[in-house]
Amino acid sequence: MTESLQTIAQQLLADHKGLLAADESETTAGKRLATIGLENTVENRRQYRNLFFTAPGIEQGISGIILHHETMGQSASDGTPFVQVLQSKGIIPGIKVDGGVEPLEGSPEEKMTIGLHGLDARLADYYTRGARFAKWRAVITIGQNIPTDNCLLENAKALAEYAFLCQKKGIVPVVEPEVLIDGSHDLDMSEVVTTKTLRVLFQELTTRGVDLTGVILKSSMVISGNQCPTQATPEEIAEATIRCFTNAVPKEVPGIVFISGGQSAMQATVSLNAIAKVNTGPWTISFSYARALQGPALEIWKGKTENIPAAQAEFIKRLQQNVAANQGKYLGE
Ligand code: 13P
């Protein structure tokens, strides 16, 4: 039986579990591997994925994993295809389908996400291979006179087209407009830009006929820029983030999941905990982290077989802390 978009979304958002964003591009994965002195090879990337996907107990904190195209065709160290490894644990496989970013025409310091060409056929293929949700990331930069209205609109239109095509194929679109942490902007500016970004996005999703009950929003938190001299407290981040969503996210949307977005692993947990405490909105909130879940384990692993158990234990600990934070029950390390 084909599951409805709503059922898949509810499964992804159930039991305070989160998503693992294991969809770094080959270049970004290479940067992560370089931090522990590993070469950026197909096999090293496979081992990096294997570390997390086979961590004992991962299914207690993770409901879905966003895969990269390369990973979807790879197998665990025991030969079992990764997709099967996940399915056997009740984890829903997802797939990143955008084609990365290019300079935006007419405003080259801004970014435009590409990848709509041939997307319909790729989605059909990914569905047969087991993907039940997808991700498309737009990148919004805050700076002098940016983001422009055109940047928000063009990226929202692409997100809407992607979401529409996903839903036609029975795939839940995770729509991600990431407002970057890079810059000296303060919390207020982050709130203004994120609110506007989300309003434009939901306007375009609605215009394109996307069913909002079968969409998950992946958002950045409303947070001070990393160069801002006054850094907002977790409580201020939480208030601004929820106010932003209240002003911009339609109540039909079942869930909102966060990127860690350049916060440290611990900061990302603390911020999530503060947000969960004040979340009065109709949406389930959760995490969809890459760096904040994988970073600490990567440092322990260092590419060595003997370090795998300790690295996996660290990953599971971060998972448990974020599942607690999702309920406002994080008590510190
Ligand atoms: P981070 O949690 O590392 O920010 O990545 C999440 C993500 O999926 C960005 O697209």
Side-chain angles (χ1 to χ4, degrees):
M1 196 191 77
T2 315
E3 276 170 329
S4 72
L5 296 169
Q6 291 72 19
T7 305
I8 298 164
Q10 289 308 334
Q11 287 168 351
L12 289 170
L13 296 164
D15 303 327
H16 312 291
K17 293 182 192 178
L19 307 180
L20 174 64
D23 62 332
E24 301 95 337
S25 66
E26 285 157 27
T27 315
T28 304
K31 285 186 201 157
R32 305 283 179 262
L33 294 175
T35 64
I36 56 165
L38 284 192
E39 224 186 304
N40 190 15
T41 62
V42 175
E43 172 57 15
N44 282 343
R45 291 194 294 270
R46 189 199 65 76
Q47 288 194 26
Y48 172 60
R49 309 305 189 188
N50 188 75
L51 177 72
F52 299 104
F53 300 175
T54 64
I58 180 179
E59 66 278 9
Q60 285 157 34
I62 290 291
S63 55
I65 298 186
I66 312 167
L67 300 169
H68 184 269
H69 176 80
E70 175 183 82
T71 318
M72 195 163 220
Q74 289 178 317
S75 297
S77 299
D78 71 358
T80 315
F82 277 139
V83 169
Q84 265 182 44
V85 171
L86 304 189
Q87 287 168 335
S88 71
K89 298 181 190 211
I91 295 174
I92 304 175
I95 182 79
K96 167 205 170 78
V97 298
D98 67 68
V101 295
E102 279 185 347
L104 178 68
E105 218 181 302
S107 180
E109 49 186 334
E110 298 188 279
K111 304 274 190 284
M112 177 67 205
T113 302
I114 56 167
L116 288 173
H117 183 73
L119 179 59
D120 205 36
R122 284 193 289 133
L123 287 169
D125 179 46
Y126 287 137
Y127 186 92
T128 61
R129 295 165 73 183
R132 292 296 176 270
F133 73 108
K135 173 184 131 177
W136 179 289
R137 170 177 177 254
V139 178
I140 310 299
T141 312
I142 303 181
Q144 201 151 28
N145 301 324
I146 59 171
T148 57
D149 288 352
N150 186 47
C151 175
L152 301 187
L153 185 63
E154 289 306 316
N155 275 291
K157 279 185 192 292
L159 274 162
E161 185 62 23
Y162 140 82
F164 176 80
L165 293 174
C166 282
Q167 289 192 334
K168 253 192 358 189
K169 293 285 187 292
I171 291 178
V172 170
V174 172
V175 292
E176 178 184 348
E178 174 175 359
V179 177
L180 293 181
I181 196 173
D182 304 335
S184 56
H185 54 274
D186 62 10
L187 187 74
D188 287 349
M189 180 56 82
S190 171
E191 182 175 348
V192 167
V193 171
T194 310
T195 304
K196 191 167 176 189
T197 301
L198 294 178
R199 281 192 177 147
V200 174
L201 171 62
F202 283 105
Q203 178 63 54
E204 290 307 312
L205 290 172
T206 306
T207 303
R208 190 65 185 94
V210 172
D211 177 358
L212 297 185
T213 67
V215 158
I216 292 178
L217 171 65
K218 178 158 171 164
S219 180
S220 27
M221 296 175 186
V222 174
I223 200 166
S224 328
N226 55 10
Q227 308 291 324
C228 180
T230 31
Q231 289 291 312
T233 64
E235 289 70 30
E236 289 167 338
I237 291 171
E239 249 180 62
T241 301
I242 293 301
R243 191 170 49 234
C244 165
F245 292 162
T246 306
N247 288 328
V249 182
K251 61 180 185 331
E252 292 80 9
V253 173
I256 304 173
V257 297
F258 292 105
I259 60 162
S260 54
Q263 299 179 78
S264 74
M266 241 205 282
Q267 266 175 340
T269 309
V270 170
S271 304
L272 178 63
N273 191 59
I275 293 171
K277 280 189 174 164
V278 296
N279 178 31
T280 50
W283 331 273
T284 301
I285 60 155
S286 189
F287 55 92
S288 176
Y289 297 158
R291 284 166 287 180
L293 286 176
Q294 300 175 127
L298 183 70
E299 277 175 38
I300 294 173
W301 175 46
K302 294 191 172 68
K304 296 199 164 77
T305 310
E306 64 269 27
N307 294 341
I308 290 176
Q312 289 182 328
E314 177 64 25
F315 169 60
I316 296 297
K317 184 178 119 193
R318 289 261 47 90
L319 267 187
Q320 288 167 342
Q321 301 288 40
N322 283 297
V323 168
N326 241 345
Q327 306 164 71
K329 291 182 180 165
Y330 170 64
L331 300 172
E333 296 301 309

